């Protein structure tokens, strides 16, 4: 398990007073840990363990044959929005046997990113169901695994998404792409809470102010 943090991590500014919690969820092997790692301004905390033969009888690895490690609790990263607001990113484990952790992770969450592998769209249904149950604003980001191309409307219909839920493509390995995912989520959260925004986030954050 890699739980170390970098000695050269970026300190929080003295004016920072709002910690905003974001959760990244989705099916097994859709790139949640990768997205947290690519966008975090600190070395992320990862609770990953090596996958073993014993786990093959429990987890469906047919679509993730190249995967050698898996998250068993959560991933954690951080990104500064502006002088006052910081996002804390939590990547949830994807296997069904760890779903019991999700409700705890959703507690106090400002919003969520649902990562989708379009080759396995059905793996994302549970995440969307739980977020809707909690009333948590979320967006859907389709991670590029080189699968078949679907029109946005086809994906919306497959996931039974409400029209107001943002849907975008991304590459979780790319910091710029992951940054755009977070920008889209913050804008959606602001819209969901009305023009005044949630109490802890006083104004929309311009794109250029999302520090990386």
């Amino acid at each position: 398990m890699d739980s170390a943090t970098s000695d050269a991590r970026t300190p929080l500014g003295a004016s920072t007073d709002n910690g905003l919690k974001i959760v990244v969820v989705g099916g097994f092997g859709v790139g949640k840990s990768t997205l947290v790692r690519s966008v975090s301004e600190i070395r992320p905390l990862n609770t990953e363990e090596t996958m073993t033969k014993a786990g093959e009888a429990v987890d469906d690895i047919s679509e993730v044959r190249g995967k050698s490690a898996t998250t068993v609790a959560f991933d954690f990263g951080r990104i500064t929005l502006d002088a006052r607001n910081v996002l804390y990113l939590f990547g949830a484990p994807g296997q069904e046997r760890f779903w019991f952790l999700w409700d705890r992770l959703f507690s106090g969450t400002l919003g969520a990113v649902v990562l989708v592998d379009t080759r396995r769209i059905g793996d994302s249904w549970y995440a969307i169901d739980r977020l809707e149950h909690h009333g948590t604003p979320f967006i859907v980001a389709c991670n590029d695994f080189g699968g078949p191309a679907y029109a946005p409307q086809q994906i919306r219909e497959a996931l039974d998404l409400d029209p107001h839920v943002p849907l975008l493509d991304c590459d979780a390995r790319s910091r710029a792409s992951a940054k755009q995912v977070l920008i889209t989520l913050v804008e959606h959260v602001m819209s969901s809470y009305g023009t005044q925004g949630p109490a802890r986030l006083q104004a929309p954050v311009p794109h250029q102010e999302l520090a990386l």
Side-chain angles (χ1 to χ4, degrees):
M1 181 185 302
D2 180 11
S3 60
T5 55
S6 171
D7 292 335
R9 59 188 181 275
T10 305
L12 287 176
S15 61
T16 300
D17 55 10
N18 290 329
L20 310 171
K21 182 179 178 183
I22 297 297
V23 175
V24 183
V25 293
F28 181 40
V30 297
K32 300 179 295 295
S33 298
T34 300
L35 187 143
V36 172
R37 281 196 299 265
S38 67
V39 79
S40 178
E41 67 190 13
I42 63 171
R43 181 181 177 186
L45 181 150
N46 300 119
T47 57
E48 289 192 328
E49 293 288 354
T50 301
M51 296 176 63
T52 65
K53 286 290 184 181
E56 293 183 12
V58 180
D59 303 320
D60 181 5
I61 65 168
S62 59
E63 298 291 341
V64 288
R65 289 292 181 183
K67 191 172 175 62
S68 60
T70 185
T71 299
V72 296
F74 59 85
D75 303 306
F76 174 78
R78 189 190 80 201
I79 180 169
T80 300
L81 288 176
D82 55 29
R84 293 189 58 200
N85 299 295
V86 172
L87 286 186
Y88 294 115
L89 309 176
F90 291 81
Q95 302 99 305
E96 183 175 352
R97 58 193 168 109
F98 294 126
W99 283 354
F100 71 92
L101 295 170
W102 287 17
D103 286 347
R104 294 292 184 90
L105 283 175
F106 292 164
S107 177
T109 297
L110 182 71
V113 175
V114 179
L115 271 186
V116 173
D117 179 351
T118 55
R119 302 171 303 174
R120 300 177 285 132
I121 288 180
D123 290 357
S124 303
W125 289 341
Y126 183 78
I128 292 173
D129 177 75
R130 296 314 299 165
L131 290 167
E132 290 178 341
H133 172 77
H134 284 270
T136 303
F138 68 92
I139 68 169
V140 174
C142 296
N143 196 12
D144 183 11
F145 284 92
Y150 294 104
Q153 188 57 36
Q154 291 177 297
I155 297 174
R156 286 188 175 277
E157 291 175 358
L159 293 174
D160 194 24
L161 284 183
D162 286 341
H164 74 279
V165 175
L167 172 67
L168 69 159
D169 294 324
C170 77
D171 182 344
R173 301 166 298 180
S174 164
R175 177 168 290 197
S177 184
K179 171 183 174 180
Q180 185 58 50
V181 169
L182 295 182
I183 288 171
T184 302
L185 176 61
V186 170
E187 291 176 341
H188 178 57
V189 168
M190 294 298 304
S191 175
S192 298
Y193 282 101
T195 56
Q196 296 303 313
R200 293 176 299 167
L201 191 57
Q202 298 301 319
V205 179
H207 292 198
Q208 66 270 22
E209 291 186 10
L210 185 55
L212 284 175

